Amino acid sequence: MASATVGARLWLLVEYSGAWPSHLENLELPHDVARLVERALERGVRPQLIRRPGRRTRQAGQGLRVLVAYGAGPEPWLASGVVAGPDDLDLDALVAGVVPESCILEDEPVFLVCTHAKRNACCARIGLPLARDLAEVWPDRVWETSHVGGDRYAANLVCLPHGIFYGSMSQAAAIAAANAYRSGEIILDRYRGRAGIPEPLQAVEHFARAHTGECSVGAVAVESSRLDGDVTHAIVRCGDVRLRVVVTPSAFRAPCGTVCAETITTYRLVSLDRLSPVRYATPALT
């Protein structure tokens, strides 16, 4: 819970079936791919390398296949295209919330499974079989991807364009989560949160959904929040209900064998109260 990547509301996915470096920001990639990654990083866009699950094939002379996702607005969108070179993709349009001219809107979501072995062996060991299993169900919508954050939650599943994160996924759990997302819903089981939102507010959303049973992707919104020390106070609209939710961080020692962290931070619910609906006075007749 509350562990989705905070700095990711805009996404650039670049298909590349060659060897992935441990860290994309080091730009140890072919020039065209490295240049695209560099341009994305300069604009605050989250770059990911992707490839189809299964057999590795190298593409030559076909341009760069890309997908871009905009998850910052009330109506997230996903688009795809093939560009001749790294400077032919208008990333400034993406930042502005506009579909780049070289891309076409997609009407189906995509699902990313982290399989980045050079970043963490568990991601490949657990993620690769999951990616293959999902690709048997949705062969055109599933991609292996580079590091998404939270290696200890492998296998990780990301649903775009909203940036919905799930972790510790089994085949059955992943299929259920993907089916729910295709229907515009979220399953709280193994739900890590939504990317691009501060972790305390991810926790606030989680507790609000658990309390109300609201599962629609877009039905929960934090209207306001304030930080009092390490305690977060938030007003949340959850469907037709408004809640006051208070959470605080809680760290605990990682279980023996957990990788990438000695301690794990989660959030504890301090209080949750339903707010009275706003009542408007009826004007007196004169």
Side-chain angles (χ1 to χ4, degrees):
M1 180 184 69
S3 59
T5 301
V6 172
R9 299 301 296 273
L10 312 175
W11 299 73
L12 167 65
L13 316 179
V14 184
E15 184 176 11
Y16 178 62
S17 58
W20 294 348
S22 59
H23 294 76
L24 268 62
E25 58 268 26
N26 292 343
L27 303 178
E28 297 170 352
L29 291 159
H31 171 74
D32 283 0
V33 179
R35 176 61 181 154
L36 254 182
V37 170
E38 181 180 39
R39 292 184 63 230
L41 292 171
E42 290 171 350
R43 291 161 173 79
V45 176
R46 171 80 182 211
Q48 297 285 143
L49 300 180
I50 58 172
R51 60 193 175 203
R52 289 297 188 192
R55 186 177 178 180
R56 303 285 179 262
T57 58
R58 289 186 177 271
Q59 294 177 311
Q62 300 177 4
L64 294 167
R65 182 172 184 181
V66 299
L67 290 91
V68 291
Y70 183 82
E75 297 183 2
W77 50 261
L78 177 76
S80 65
V82 177
V83 294
D87 296 317
D88 295 322
L89 179 63
D90 188 355
L91 289 175
D92 292 326
L94 171 63
V95 173
V98 178
V99 178
E101 289 186 0
S102 55
C103 296
I104 299 174
L105 275 175
E106 300 258 330
D107 57 6
E108 290 283 338
V110 297
F111 303 101
L112 309 180
V113 180
C114 182
T115 61
H116 200 164
K118 283 190 177 179
R119 194 63 179 259
N120 188 285
C122 290
C123 292
R125 179 175 58 83
I126 306 173
L128 283 168
L130 180 64
R132 287 194 292 266
D133 289 342
L134 288 179
E136 290 181 2
V137 183
W138 299 288
D140 298 326
R141 312 312 301 171
V142 177
W143 297 88
E144 294 179 23
T145 192
S146 52
H147 178 68
V148 297
D151 298 328
R152 63 183 176 272
Y153 299 110
N156 282 295
L157 174 70
V158 181
C159 310
L160 291 179
H162 286 81
I164 303 300
F165 273 57
Y166 289 93
S168 304
M169 298 302 277
S170 65
Q171 178 191 23
I175 290 175
N179 269 323
Y181 184 63
R182 287 168 61 87
S183 299
E185 297 183 345
I186 289 173
I187 293 177
L188 285 186
D189 180 37
R190 313 185 198 207
Y191 176 53
R192 288 182 54 193
R194 181 172 174 178
I197 298 174
E199 290 177 352
L201 300 187
Q202 293 182 40
V204 163
E205 178 202 343
H206 189 283
F207 287 122
R209 288 184 182 277
H211 179 76
T212 62
E214 180 60 65
C215 57
S216 175
V217 172
V220 179
V222 176
E223 295 183 339
S224 64
S225 65
R226 64 180 176 87
L227 192 62
D228 182 8
D230 61 356
V231 179
T232 298
H233 302 253
I235 303 299
V236 189
R237 183 174 296 280
C238 199
D240 296 328
V241 176
R242 293 175 74 244
L243 307 169
R244 178 183 292 109
V245 185
V246 181
V247 300
T248 187
S250 177
F252 62 93
R253 188 170 183 81
C256 181
T258 300
V259 295
C260 300
E262 293 183 359
T263 60
I264 295 174
T265 299
T266 184
Y267 287 84
R268 178 175 61 85
L269 179 65
V270 176
S271 64
L272 187 153
D273 301 294
R274 291 197 178 212
L275 299 179
S276 300
V278 177
R279 291 184 174 87
Y280 299 94
T282 303
L285 296 178
T286 59

